[in-house]
Amino acid sequence: MTNSTRRGILAMGAGVGAAAALGSSEALAAPAGRKPSRRNPKLRFRPDGSFTVLQFNDTQDTHLTDRRTIELITRAIAKEDPDLVIFNGDTVNGDMSTATQVKQAYNNVIAPVEQAGVAWALTFGNHDEDSVKKTGMTETRIMDFLRRYPHNLNPREDAIGGHSNAVLPVAASRGGRVAAAMWLLDSGRYEQESIDGQKVEEYTYETIHSDQVAWYREQSLALQKQAGRPVPGLVWLHIPLWETRFMWFGSPTDWTEESHRKALAKHQITDPNRNEREYVSQFNSGLYNVVRERGDVMGIYFGHDHVNTYEGNYFGVHLGYGPGTGYGAYGLDGAAKHQLRGCRVFTLDEGRPGEFTTRNLYAKDLGIDVTTVDDQPIAKPAPLPFT
């Protein structure tokens, strides 16, 4: 078995306040003119007022990562020259036997970002801890390892659910005021096999917990107090919210092709690929409702469902997927397996607070092979910068 996914066997079972913020042997050249930034750089809008984020998710591979995954990350960075990279969960899979292999699997995809001198942060998905019984690499140990990278922005864990929650303020191009906020939330792993004596059926996932929702609200209010107004932001978490499905169908109850056709215009749905149902959590977290109440978050973005790429505006809050990045994970069926490999690009303009643009960038648009179905693992892992 090469990947623990919904299309295989779930063998591993069910089971901060505001931060201030190596190289792969097969990596391409870093963007020209970019200088490596200092350790834990402060995020800031550029002098032209722009701020760009790249979202990669579900790279989901072993210490012998498919070379095309690394190539996709490297070429996307070279093309977009981002200010921040987000790895939005399931960065590795559970098919590793040692702690070193787990570290190498992360390092393979982080190395191009570090080499380019770009700040980055990571959320956990349901698969990141799948090898723990064999390797001992808990999410806490993984995060301790990741925070040692010079350009990583993940803060120390706070006493709330999960291990990868963070709010990363973005300073204005001039001065020190906070002009935007990048939010990360840990959406958990697998739900219990039974709850109150009732069996939990099929693939069911954890959710954002109430203490995380309360934490978001507290930090959101604190940023507003600091800035004198609500601070516009974006949120990333791995497992999609229930409202994502409601947006696709334009209704929480009428899940028909007719209701979806109406929803396309109503919710301004773009890149409308929905090739599998939304694998949401067992319970609705209430996060979306609190986000609407606060009015600062412009959009919430997910991974998890590798072959869904759609995005839209659900009653004032954008919801959407980034396409699955990793060639080692499941994709479309048959010869089309890799056609939707890619990442999502976000652009903020300091002069237009509360607005942003987003689009998907696909491997095929970067000249990367999407026709060869067979895996293309690297011969050996990129060198670890530390152990």
Side-chain angles (χ1 to χ4, degrees), residues 280-306:
V280 297
S281 302
Q282 181 73 22
F283 305 106
N284 193 321
S285 67
L287 174 65
Y288 173 83
N289 199 41
V290 176
V291 161
R292 284 204 71 251
E293 171 197 302
R294 286 294 305 130
D296 55 353
V297 167
M298 301 177 289
I300 310 174
Y301 290 87
F302 319 100
H304 193 52
D305 302 325
H306 304 184

PDB file of all heavy atoms in Angstrom, residues 280-306:
ATOM      1  N   VAL A 280     -16.651  16.037   5.067  1.00  0.00           N
ATOM      2  CA  VAL A 280     -16.682  16.986   6.169  1.00  0.00           C
ATOM      3  C   VAL A 280     -16.597  16.262   7.512  1.00  0.00           C
ATOM      4  O   VAL A 280     -16.601  15.033   7.586  1.00  0.00           O
ATOM      5  CB  VAL A 280     -17.973  17.832   6.110  1.00  0.00           C
ATOM      6  CG1 VAL A 280     -18.004  18.660   4.837  1.00  0.00           C
ATOM      7  CG2 VAL A 280     -19.217  16.940   6.200  1.00  0.00           C
ATOM      8  N   SER A 281     -16.551  17.045   8.583  1.00  0.00           N
ATOM      9  CA  SER A 281     -16.482  16.495   9.927  1.00  0.00           C
ATOM     10  C   SER A 281     -17.833  15.926  10.358  1.00  0.00           C
ATOM     11  O   SER A 281     -18.877  16.225   9.771  1.00  0.00           O
ATOM     12  CB  SER A 281     -16.053  17.585  10.911  1.00  0.00           C
ATOM     13  OG  SER A 281     -14.810  18.126  10.554  1.00  0.00           O
ATOM     14  N   GLN A 282     -17.803  15.124  11.417  1.00  0.00           N
ATOM     15  CA  GLN A 282     -19.022  14.531  11.946  1.00  0.00           C
ATOM     16  C   GLN A 282     -19.992  15.610  12.450  1.00  0.00           C
ATOM     17  O   GLN A 282     -21.198  15.464  12.331  1.00  0.00           O
ATOM     18  CB  GLN A 282     -18.677  13.580  13.103  1.00  0.00           C
ATOM     19  CG  GLN A 282     -19.872  12.866  13.727  1.00  0.00           C
ATOM     20  CD  GLN A 282     -20.428  11.778  12.829  1.00  0.00           C
ATOM     21  OE1 GLN A 282     -19.727  11.261  11.951  1.00  0.00           O
ATOM     22  NE2 GLN A 282     -21.689  11.424  13.022  1.00  0.00           N
ATOM     23  N   PHE A 283     -19.428  16.698  13.004  1.00  0.00           N
ATOM     24  CA  PHE A 283     -20.263  17.749  13.574  1.00  0.00           C
ATOM     25  C   PHE A 283     -19.889  19.095  12.972  1.00  0.00           C
ATOM     26  O   PHE A 283     -18.735  19.335  12.615  1.00  0.00           O
ATOM     27  CB  PHE A 283     -20.088  17.811  15.102  1.00  0.00           C
ATOM     28  CG  PHE A 283     -20.347  16.502  15.792  1.00  0.00           C
ATOM     29  CD1 PHE A 283     -19.298  15.749  16.291  1.00  0.00           C
ATOM     30  CD2 PHE A 283     -21.636  16.012  15.923  1.00  0.00           C
ATOM     31  CE1 PHE A 283     -19.523  14.534  16.914  1.00  0.00           C
ATOM     32  CE2 PHE A 283     -21.877  14.803  16.538  1.00  0.00           C
ATOM     33  CZ  PHE A 283     -20.825  14.060  17.039  1.00  0.00           C
ATOM     34  N   ASN A 284     -20.875  19.988  12.888  1.00  0.00           N
ATOM     35  CA  ASN A 284     -20.620  21.341  12.407  1.00  0.00           C
ATOM     36  C   ASN A 284     -20.008  22.160  13.538  1.00  0.00           C
ATOM     37  O   ASN A 284     -20.581  22.256  14.627  1.00  0.00           O
ATOM     38  CB  ASN A 284     -21.923  21.977  11.925  1.00  0.00           C
ATOM     39  CG  ASN A 284     -21.686  23.245  11.136  1.00  0.00           C
ATOM     40  OD1 ASN A 284     -20.818  24.044  11.471  1.00  0.00           O
ATOM     41  ND2 ASN A 284     -22.463  23.437  10.086  1.00  0.00           N
ATOM     42  N   SER A 285     -18.874  22.770  13.280  1.00  0.00           N
ATOM     43  CA  SER A 285     -18.112  23.441  14.329  1.00  0.00           C
ATOM     44  C   SER A 285     -18.692  24.780  14.757  1.00  0.00           C
ATOM     45  O   SER A 285     -18.386  25.283  15.840  1.00  0.00           O
ATOM     46  CB  SER A 285     -16.676  23.672  13.840  1.00  0.00           C
ATOM     47  OG  SER A 285     -16.668  24.619  12.775  1.00  0.00           O
ATOM     48  N   GLY A 286     -19.483  25.414  13.910  1.00  0.00           N
ATOM     49  CA  GLY A 286     -19.976  26.755  14.192  1.00  0.00           C
ATOM     50  C   GLY A 286     -19.000  27.854  13.809  1.00  0.00           C
ATOM     51  O   GLY A 286     -19.282  29.041  13.991  1.00  0.00           O
ATOM     52  N   LEU A 287     -17.844  27.469  13.258  1.00  0.00           N
ATOM     53  CA  LEU A 287     -16.827  28.463  12.911  1.00  0.00           C
ATOM     54  C   LEU A 287     -17.351  29.477  11.903  1.00  0.00           C
ATOM     55  O   LEU A 287     -17.161  30.686  12.061  1.00  0.00           O
ATOM     56  CB  LEU A 287     -15.576  27.770  12.357  1.00  0.00           C
ATOM     57  CG  LEU A 287     -14.479  28.694  11.823  1.00  0.00           C
ATOM     58  CD1 LEU A 287     -13.894  29.541  12.940  1.00  0.00           C
ATOM     59  CD2 LEU A 287     -13.393  27.888  11.117  1.00  0.00           C
ATOM     60  N   TYR A 288     -18.025  28.993  10.866  1.00  0.00           N
ATOM     61  CA  TYR A 288     -18.500  29.899   9.817  1.00  0.00           C
ATOM     62  C   TYR A 288     -19.411  30.981  10.394  1.00  0.00           C
ATOM     63  O   TYR A 288     -19.300  32.163  10.038  1.00  0.00           O
ATOM     64  CB  TYR A 288     -19.237  29.114   8.728  1.00  0.00           C
ATOM     65  CG  TYR A 288     -19.887  30.001   7.701  1.00  0.00           C
ATOM     66  CD1 TYR A 288     -19.169  30.512   6.625  1.00  0.00           C
ATOM     67  CD2 TYR A 288     -21.232  30.357   7.831  1.00  0.00           C
ATOM     68  CE1 TYR A 288     -19.769  31.350   5.698  1.00  0.00           C
ATOM     69  CE2 TYR A 288     -21.837  31.196   6.912  1.00  0.00           C
ATOM     70  CZ  TYR A 288     -21.105  31.694   5.852  1.00  0.00           C
ATOM     71  OH  TYR A 288     -21.694  32.526   4.946  1.00  0.00           O
ATOM     72  N   ASN A 289     -20.296  30.589  11.288  1.00  0.00           N
ATOM     73  CA  ASN A 289     -21.245  31.549  11.855  1.00  0.00           C
ATOM     74  C   ASN A 289     -20.525  32.636  12.656  1.00  0.00           C
ATOM     75  O   ASN A 289     -20.876  33.818  12.581  1.00  0.00           O
ATOM     76  CB  ASN A 289     -22.253  30.819  12.754  1.00  0.00           C
ATOM     77  CG  ASN A 289     -23.505  31.634  12.988  1.00  0.00           C
ATOM     78  OD1 ASN A 289     -24.023  32.271  12.079  1.00  0.00           O
ATOM     79  ND2 ASN A 289     -23.997  31.627  14.216  1.00  0.00           N
ATOM     80  N   VAL A 290     -19.490  32.252  13.414  1.00  0.00           N
ATOM     81  CA  VAL A 290     -18.733  33.229  14.191  1.00  0.00           C
ATOM     82  C   VAL A 290     -17.907  34.125  13.264  1.00  0.00           C
ATOM     83  O   VAL A 290     -17.777  35.327  13.509  1.00  0.00           O
ATOM     84  CB  VAL A 290     -17.840  32.524  15.235  1.00  0.00           C
ATOM     85  CG1 VAL A 290     -16.971  33.524  15.983  1.00  0.00           C
ATOM     86  CG2 VAL A 290     -18.698  31.740  16.218  1.00  0.00           C
ATOM     87  N   VAL A 291     -17.373  33.552  12.197  1.00  0.00           N
ATOM     88  CA  VAL A 291     -16.638  34.353  11.207  1.00  0.00           C
ATOM     89  C   VAL A 291     -17.560  35.423  10.609  1.00  0.00           C
ATOM     90  O   VAL A 291     -17.174  36.595  10.469  1.00  0.00           O
ATOM     91  CB  VAL A 291     -16.052  33.441  10.113  1.00  0.00           C
ATOM     92  CG1 VAL A 291     -15.694  34.240   8.862  1.00  0.00           C
ATOM     93  CG2 VAL A 291     -14.818  32.718  10.633  1.00  0.00           C
ATOM     94  N   ARG A 292     -18.786  35.042  10.266  1.00  0.00           N
ATOM     95  CA  ARG A 292     -19.730  36.024   9.723  1.00  0.00           C
ATOM     96  C   ARG A 292     -20.059  37.084  10.761  1.00  0.00           C
ATOM     97  O   ARG A 292     -20.185  38.278  10.448  1.00  0.00           O
ATOM     98  CB  ARG A 292     -21.015  35.339   9.256  1.00  0.00           C
ATOM     99  CG  ARG A 292     -20.902  34.595   7.939  1.00  0.00           C
ATOM    100  CD  ARG A 292     -22.247  34.459   7.247  1.00  0.00           C
ATOM    101  NE  ARG A 292     -22.701  35.740   6.736  1.00  0.00           N
ATOM    102  CZ  ARG A 292     -23.714  36.442   7.234  1.00  0.00           C
ATOM    103  NH1 ARG A 292     -24.369  36.006   8.302  1.00  0.00           N
ATOM    104  NH2 ARG A 292     -24.069  37.573   6.692  1.00  0.00           N
ATOM    105  N   GLU A 293     -20.202  36.667  11.992  1.00  0.00           N
ATOM    106  CA  GLU A 293     -20.500  37.610  13.071  1.00  0.00           C
ATOM    107  C   GLU A 293     -19.391  38.641  13.239  1.00  0.00           C
ATOM    108  O   GLU A 293     -19.645  39.827  13.380  1.00  0.00           O
ATOM    109  CB  GLU A 293     -20.684  36.835  14.380  1.00  0.00           C
ATOM    110  CG  GLU A 293     -20.794  37.696  15.632  1.00  0.00           C
ATOM    111  CD  GLU A 293     -20.570  36.887  16.894  1.00  0.00           C
ATOM    112  OE1 GLU A 293     -21.317  35.908  17.105  1.00  0.00           O
ATOM    113  OE2 GLU A 293     -19.640  37.216  17.662  1.00  0.00           O
ATOM    114  N   ARG A 294     -18.141  38.172  13.168  1.00  0.00           N
ATOM    115  CA  ARG A 294     -17.007  39.080  13.351  1.00  0.00           C
ATOM    116  C   ARG A 294     -16.812  39.983  12.134  1.00  0.00           C
ATOM    117  O   ARG A 294     -16.436  41.140  12.275  1.00  0.00           O
ATOM    118  CB  ARG A 294     -15.726  38.270  13.615  1.00  0.00           C
ATOM    119  CG  ARG A 294     -15.645  37.657  14.992  1.00  0.00           C
ATOM    120  CD  ARG A 294     -15.534  38.727  16.073  1.00  0.00           C
ATOM    121  NE  ARG A 294     -14.407  39.614  15.795  1.00  0.00           N
ATOM    122  CZ  ARG A 294     -14.494  40.944  15.797  1.00  0.00           C
ATOM    123  NH1 ARG A 294     -15.645  41.558  16.066  1.00  0.00           N
ATOM    124  NH2 ARG A 294     -13.423  41.675  15.533  1.00  0.00           N
ATOM    125  N   GLY A 295     -16.983  39.461  10.935  1.00  0.00           N
ATOM    126  CA  GLY A 295     -16.917  40.287   9.745  1.00  0.00           C
ATOM    127  C   GLY A 295     -15.519  40.659   9.284  1.00  0.00           C
ATOM    128  O   GLY A 295     -15.361  41.566   8.458  1.00  0.00           O
ATOM    129  N   ASP A 296     -14.491  39.967   9.796  1.00  0.00           N
ATOM    130  CA  ASP A 296     -13.127  40.310   9.381  1.00  0.00           C
ATOM    131  C   ASP A 296     -12.544  39.318   8.384  1.00  0.00           C
ATOM    132  O   ASP A 296     -11.712  39.686   7.552  1.00  0.00           O
ATOM    133  CB  ASP A 296     -12.203  40.437  10.594  1.00  0.00           C
ATOM    134  CG  ASP A 296     -12.190  39.216  11.493  1.00  0.00           C
ATOM    135  OD1 ASP A 296     -13.001  38.287  11.269  1.00  0.00           O
ATOM    136  OD2 ASP A 296     -11.385  39.193  12.450  1.00  0.00           O
ATOM    137  N   VAL A 297     -12.937  38.064   8.433  1.00  0.00           N
ATOM    138  CA  VAL A 297     -12.386  37.041   7.548  1.00  0.00           C
ATOM    139  C   VAL A 297     -13.053  37.120   6.180  1.00  0.00           C
ATOM    140  O   VAL A 297     -14.275  37.047   6.057  1.00  0.00           O
ATOM    141  CB  VAL A 297     -12.555  35.630   8.154  1.00  0.00           C
ATOM    142  CG1 VAL A 297     -12.287  34.552   7.110  1.00  0.00           C
ATOM    143  CG2 VAL A 297     -11.616  35.457   9.342  1.00  0.00           C
ATOM    144  N   MET A 298     -12.224  37.255   5.147  1.00  0.00           N
ATOM    145  CA  MET A 298     -12.731  37.359   3.778  1.00  0.00           C
ATOM    146  C   MET A 298     -13.005  35.993   3.165  1.00  0.00           C
ATOM    147  O   MET A 298     -13.869  35.850   2.299  1.00  0.00           O
ATOM    148  CB  MET A 298     -11.724  38.119   2.919  1.00  0.00           C
ATOM    149  CG  MET A 298     -11.413  39.521   3.409  1.00  0.00           C
ATOM    150  SD  MET A 298     -10.140  40.339   2.397  1.00  0.00           S
ATOM    151  CE  MET A 298      -8.642  39.405   2.873  1.00  0.00           C
ATOM    152  N   GLY A 299     -12.218  34.972   3.578  1.00  0.00           N
ATOM    153  CA  GLY A 299     -12.383  33.657   2.971  1.00  0.00           C
ATOM    154  C   GLY A 299     -11.770  32.561   3.819  1.00  0.00           C
ATOM    155  O   GLY A 299     -10.851  32.801   4.605  1.00  0.00           O
ATOM    156  N   ILE A 300     -12.302  31.350   3.667  1.00  0.00           N
ATOM    157  CA  ILE A 300     -11.816  30.162   4.365  1.00  0.00           C
ATOM    158  C   ILE A 300     -11.518  29.102   3.312  1.00  0.00           C
ATOM    159  O   ILE A 300     -12.386  28.792   2.474  1.00  0.00           O
ATOM    160  CB  ILE A 300     -12.857  29.621   5.371  1.00  0.00           C
ATOM    161  CG1 ILE A 300     -13.378  30.743   6.279  1.00  0.00           C
ATOM    162  CG2 ILE A 300     -12.267  28.485   6.205  1.00  0.00           C
ATOM    163  CD1 ILE A 300     -14.510  30.311   7.198  1.00  0.00           C
ATOM    164  N   TYR A 301     -10.313  28.504   3.371  1.00  0.00           N
ATOM    165  CA  TYR A 301      -9.871  27.613   2.299  1.00  0.00           C
ATOM    166  C   TYR A 301      -9.374  26.282   2.850  1.00  0.00           C
ATOM    167  O   TYR A 301      -8.794  26.219   3.934  1.00  0.00           O
ATOM    168  CB  TYR A 301      -8.800  28.317   1.454  1.00  0.00           C
ATOM    169  CG  TYR A 301      -9.443  29.428   0.652  1.00  0.00           C
ATOM    170  CD1 TYR A 301      -9.598  30.700   1.209  1.00  0.00           C
ATOM    171  CD2 TYR A 301      -9.967  29.183  -0.611  1.00  0.00           C
ATOM    172  CE1 TYR A 301     -10.248  31.696   0.498  1.00  0.00           C
ATOM    173  CE2 TYR A 301     -10.608  30.177  -1.322  1.00  0.00           C
ATOM    174  CZ  TYR A 301     -10.753  31.427  -0.764  1.00  0.00           C
ATOM    175  OH  TYR A 301     -11.410  32.399  -1.452  1.00  0.00           O
ATOM    176  N   PHE A 302      -9.596  25.235   2.040  1.00  0.00           N
ATOM    177  CA  PHE A 302      -9.426  23.858   2.489  1.00  0.00           C
ATOM    178  C   PHE A 302      -8.558  23.045   1.531  1.00  0.00           C
ATOM    179  O   PHE A 302      -8.264  23.465   0.416  1.00  0.00           O
ATOM    180  CB  PHE A 302     -10.802  23.176   2.589  1.00  0.00           C
ATOM    181  CG  PHE A 302     -11.868  24.050   3.167  1.00  0.00           C
ATOM    182  CD1 PHE A 302     -12.787  24.705   2.360  1.00  0.00           C
ATOM    183  CD2 PHE A 302     -11.944  24.248   4.541  1.00  0.00           C
ATOM    184  CE1 PHE A 302     -13.763  25.529   2.895  1.00  0.00           C
ATOM    185  CE2 PHE A 302     -12.913  25.066   5.096  1.00  0.00           C
ATOM    186  CZ  PHE A 302     -13.828  25.707   4.269  1.00  0.00           C
ATOM    187  N   GLY A 303      -8.201  21.845   1.987  1.00  0.00           N
ATOM    188  CA  GLY A 303      -7.608  20.812   1.156  1.00  0.00           C
ATOM    189  C   GLY A 303      -8.478  19.578   1.279  1.00  0.00           C
ATOM    190  O   GLY A 303      -9.682  19.626   1.098  1.00  0.00           O
ATOM    191  N   HIS A 304      -7.835  18.422   1.565  1.00  0.00           N
ATOM    192  CA  HIS A 304      -8.527  17.180   1.962  1.00  0.00           C
ATOM    193  C   HIS A 304      -9.173  16.424   0.810  1.00  0.00           C
ATOM    194  O   HIS A 304      -8.939  15.240   0.648  1.00  0.00           O
ATOM    195  CB  HIS A 304      -9.558  17.505   3.041  1.00  0.00           C
ATOM    196  CG  HIS A 304     -10.117  16.311   3.752  1.00  0.00           C
ATOM    197  ND1 HIS A 304      -9.319  15.349   4.338  1.00  0.00           N
ATOM    198  CD2 HIS A 304     -11.402  15.931   3.991  1.00  0.00           C
ATOM    199  CE1 HIS A 304     -10.087  14.431   4.906  1.00  0.00           C
ATOM    200  NE2 HIS A 304     -11.344  14.747   4.699  1.00  0.00           N
ATOM    201  N   ASP A 305     -10.026  17.090   0.038  1.00  0.00           N
ATOM    202  CA  ASP A 305     -10.690  16.448  -1.099  1.00  0.00           C
ATOM    203  C   ASP A 305      -9.895  16.813  -2.355  1.00  0.00           C
ATOM    204  O   ASP A 305     -10.124  17.864  -2.966  1.00  0.00           O
ATOM    205  CB  ASP A 305     -12.140  16.914  -1.199  1.00  0.00           C
ATOM    206  CG  ASP A 305     -12.925  16.622   0.075  1.00  0.00           C
ATOM    207  OD1 ASP A 305     -12.669  15.584   0.698  1.00  0.00           O
ATOM    208  OD2 ASP A 305     -13.790  17.444   0.446  1.00  0.00           O
ATOM    209  N   HIS A 306      -8.988  15.932  -2.746  1.00  0.00           N
ATOM    210  CA  HIS A 306      -7.936  16.267  -3.701  1.00  0.00           C
ATOM    211  C   HIS A 306      -8.435  16.721  -5.069  1.00  0.00           C
ATOM    212  O   HIS A 306      -7.730  17.434  -5.781  1.00  0.00           O
ATOM    213  CB  HIS A 306      -7.020  15.060  -3.926  1.00  0.00           C
ATOM    214  CG  HIS A 306      -6.398  14.511  -2.690  1.00  0.00           C
ATOM    215  ND1 HIS A 306      -5.475  13.478  -2.720  1.00  0.00           N
ATOM    216  CD2 HIS A 306      -6.549  14.832  -1.375  1.00  0.00           C
ATOM    217  CE1 HIS A 306      -5.101  13.188  -1.485  1.00  0.00           C
ATOM    218  NE2 HIS A 306      -5.739  13.991  -0.651  1.00  0.00           N
TER     219      HIS A 306
END
